[in-house]
Structures are given as C-alpha cells and as structure tokens.
Amino acid sequence: MQVNRRSFLMGSAGIAAGVAFGAGSSMPAFAEDTRLRAMWWGSNDRAKRTLDVAKLYEGKNAGVSIVGESLSGDGYWTKLATQMAGRAIADVFQLEPGTISDYSKRGACLPLDEFVPATLKVDSFGKDMLKLTTVDSKLYGIGLGLNSFAMFYDETAFEKAGIKPPTTDITWAEYAELAVELTKAGGKDNYWGGPYAARYNYVFDAWLRQRGKSLFKDGGLGFDVEDAKEWFNYWEELRKKGGTVGADVQTLDQNTIDTNCLALGKSAMGMAYSNQLVGYQLISKNKLGITLLPREKKDGPSGHYYRPALIWSVGATTKNAEAAAKFIDFFVNDVDAGKILGVERGVPMSPVVREAILPQLNPTEQATIKYINSLKDQVGDYPPPVPMGATQFDQRVLRPLCDELAFERTSVADAAARLIEEGKAAISG
C-alpha cells in the first residue's frame, strides 16, 4: 500500500508510515500488474484503517497495488475538480449522500450496475440500501455503512456544570437555553455551549424536515426566504446570547473532525454524523455522549433519516473498472477488512460483517450502533437525490453567508434573500 506523501503526512505526524509506504507489501513494485488509485477525506484514524485494509487486500491479491491519498477539508473537492478537468479521476474515490448525485451527474462516477452481482456481491444489503446510492436509475456507488445526523456532547463538561445532558426529544428552544447555560457554567474565555450550526446544511435540512419541508425539492430549493430568515435568526439570537462559539472559531470548521469546535475543546456540544463519534472520541480527552438533533416540538418529527455514511465510487476515467469494483467488494464484504474498519465509516451494511465485528467493538463503537438502532422509529423517508450544484450551494453559498452573519457583516434579512438568490443560481448551473 502506498500513499501520497504530501497529502497524507500533512498534519498526520507520519502515522502508520510503514504501512503507508509499502513496508511489508506482498509484491515488489516491479512485479505489480494492476495499480489502483484511491482517494478519500477524513481523520488520521480513518486513513490508518483504510491503509490497513488496502494492505490486507494487496496481501490477498497478488499483482495489485493501491496508492492511497487522504486529504482534508475543501482540499479534497479542489483535488477532485482538478482530476475531473484533467480526465484523471482516482480509480476509487469517496463521496457521501450530499455529493454523489452532484458528481455522478457531472460525469465523475462510473455506473456500477454491470458489476452486480458478479463482482459486487451486495445482495445481502437489501434493495433499499442500493437505492441510497442510485441516481437516475443507475448505481453510482456502494455505501460503506449506515449513519444519521447526531448531536455529540461532552459528558464531563455536563457533570462538572451539574447540568443534565440533552434528551432525545429536546426542542430547539430548550437547546438554546441549555447552550447559554453551559457557556455560563464553563466560566472561562473561548468556551461556549455549542456550535454556530447555521452553516451546517444537514442540520438545516433536518430543521426543515421537522416542518414538512426540505433543503432541496424537485431539482430546486425546498424552502423559501421566510424559512431562511427564521433559521438565520435562531442562530444569530443564540450567538448574541453567548450560546454559540464565536465567528472566529466557527469559521475554522472545514467539515472535518479536527476543526470542529467540540473536538477543539471550544464547546460542550457539537453536531455531526453518527459514525464520526469514533473519530471525535479519539481526539477528545473527555467521554462523549450521542443523541438526536433538537426538534421543533416534543411530539414532532425528528427530521432524521438513515443514510449511507460514506460511499466508494469508481472514477469514470478508470482503466481498471473491474479491479476497482473488486476492491470495493472486498472493502464492504471481507470480514477481516470489517474488523479493521469497525464502524468509523458507519454501521456495516453487510449482515455477515456486522455480526462478525460486534464482539470486538469498544464502548464508543457500541454506542454508535446503539444510536443507529434507536432511530428505527424516528427516521423518515430517504430524500431523493440532490440537484446538481448542491455541493456549490453548501460550500460557496450557505457557509460563506453564515460566516458573514456571524461576523456581523450582513443582516438576517439580506442573508436570507441572498441564500435564495445565490442558492438558485448555484443549483441551476
């Protein structure tokens, strides 16, 4: 297993260097027949797990080498865009529910239907699971595990403050009170109750779904300017009351674990995806808990749904499609690979792998599975594929607008109007 030195060692302190640069590889470089490039984003822990599985695969498949590249934050999408422009997309690359529709429609992904079930043996996942990665009636990726949205909280911080942690039916109004109370109880500078989560599109989506709407609908926006005003106003009022981290802290967040305010030790609560609890706990010195996102009212819908945590897709420009599909099949179906991966990329979709890894899971991983199981009566229908431009909406419209708001460079009314105007432009191409 090889890995791109510039991207992987950046900030990783040379983690798993022996594995990363081919130490112990079963085949010398001159004898390799097939070379696959794999690209993903995530924490150092995810990179190590991925590299270990790739090394395992190489050991079981003579003549195959895998060159891995791990990037973080927006650098991943910049690199993918460069590869698309140069018609040199990685053979296997990582997407997630909010981007698979966008990138498949842009021609980045190879349809995988021809490899099912001969190479991709995913029948045991169930037909509904394959629908999660199907766009325009074609299979463009394989889900690596199930997850949903979640709220993490620092159990130690709550205990020290003498405050009860959030319950599964906490409302947005109660959350706001809790966040302010935690900030006051912290009693120190640069520490707050929770994030300035206006800029998290998946939290906004859950908030909208609780109200019978959604982030996207019928190829366009699923909300109007009044919804945007209400959303922005909630977070602005909470920020001014001291319940959210400051703008300077929140803008550090690049949608990666190590840049999130909870992982940075700047807040007692954070909002993320359930599978990320493993990565957060590795960084946090305190015990973390997990629960649902706040909801509009106690007996109302949660806004949650099951989703593929992350996805492997095959690059449309690959010259080794069959080999790439075979590696993905190994990744999701091999029991030994499953034991290495655990639930860091979500609860395995393969029943065989799920059963095999249960005995070895640590308390954090067990909490992840317990959380996913607890949602069975709380989740709604999986939404239709997002429109083309959804990634731009998130990265170039929603997040920058929220940053302007938090720095008080624009008003709620102007930000809401621009979110609609610029959002429509982003998803129309």
Side-chain angles (χ1 to χ4, degrees), residues 125-349:
F125 291 12
K127 292 182 179 179
D128 288 343
M129 293 300 100
L130 293 183
K131 288 179 181 178
L132 303 183
T133 50
T134 296
V135 180
D136 295 336
S137 301
K138 293 183 179 181
L139 184 67
Y140 281 108
I142 299 298
L144 305 180
L146 280 180
N147 79 351
S148 190
F149 316 132
M151 182 160 65
F152 301 157
Y153 57 91
D154 185 330
E155 291 186 356
T156 304
F158 274 86
E159 290 173 4
K160 287 183 177 179
I163 299 173
K164 292 182 179 180
T167 59
T168 58
D169 62 350
I170 187 172
T171 65
W172 285 106
E174 291 171 337
Y175 170 83
E177 294 175 359
L178 184 62
V180 173
E181 190 177 3
L182 282 162
T183 300
K184 293 177 179 178
K188 56 184 178 181
D189 295 334
N190 298 316
Y191 186 82
W192 295 269
Y196 187 81
R199 70 201 302 270
Y200 296 160
N201 67 342
Y202 57 91
V203 181
F204 186 28
D205 189 29
W207 186 87
L208 288 166
R209 286 169 62 89
Q210 292 166 5
R211 291 158 174 76
K213 298 188 177 184
S214 59
L215 197 59
F216 302 111
K217 183 179 180 181
D218 300 329
L221 299 179
F223 62 94
D224 58 30
V225 69
E226 293 304 316
D227 298 315
K229 284 182 182 178
E230 187 178 352
W231 174 248
F232 287 149
N233 192 58
Y234 174 88
W235 291 104
E236 272 297 276
E237 286 187 358
L238 186 53
R239 180 185 65 81
K240 292 173 182 177
K241 291 178 181 177
T244 78
V245 297
D248 57 335
V249 174
Q250 190 60 53
T251 51
L252 296 174
D253 192 328
Q254 296 298 313
N255 274 15
T256 60
I257 293 173
D258 59 343
T259 58
N260 184 278
C261 56
L262 176 63
L264 291 172
K266 298 294 187 179
S267 69
M269 296 183 288
M271 296 175 185
Y273 298 105
S274 59
N275 64 293
Q276 293 180 317
L277 181 63
V278 174
Y280 274 85
Q281 190 60 76
L282 284 173
I283 293 176
S284 176
K285 65 180 184 297
N286 295 334
K287 177 74 166 58
L288 300 180
I290 180 172
T291 190
L292 281 73
L293 294 176
R295 65 183 77 202
E296 182 186 15
K297 51 189 177 182
K298 292 287 185 186
D299 58 348
S302 70
H304 285 253
Y305 49 85
Y306 285 137
R307 61 198 293 282
L310 291 164
I311 299 160
W312 275 139
S313 289
V314 174
T317 57
T318 185
K319 296 179 180 179
N320 295 296
E322 179 78 28
K326 186 177 179 181
F327 173 68
I328 294 174
D329 180 76
F330 180 85
F331 207 89
V332 297
N333 283 319
D334 186 86
V335 168
D336 291 331
K339 289 179 178 178
I340 292 171
L341 296 168
V343 297
E344 194 277 332
R345 274 186 169 95
V347 177
M349 292 193 179

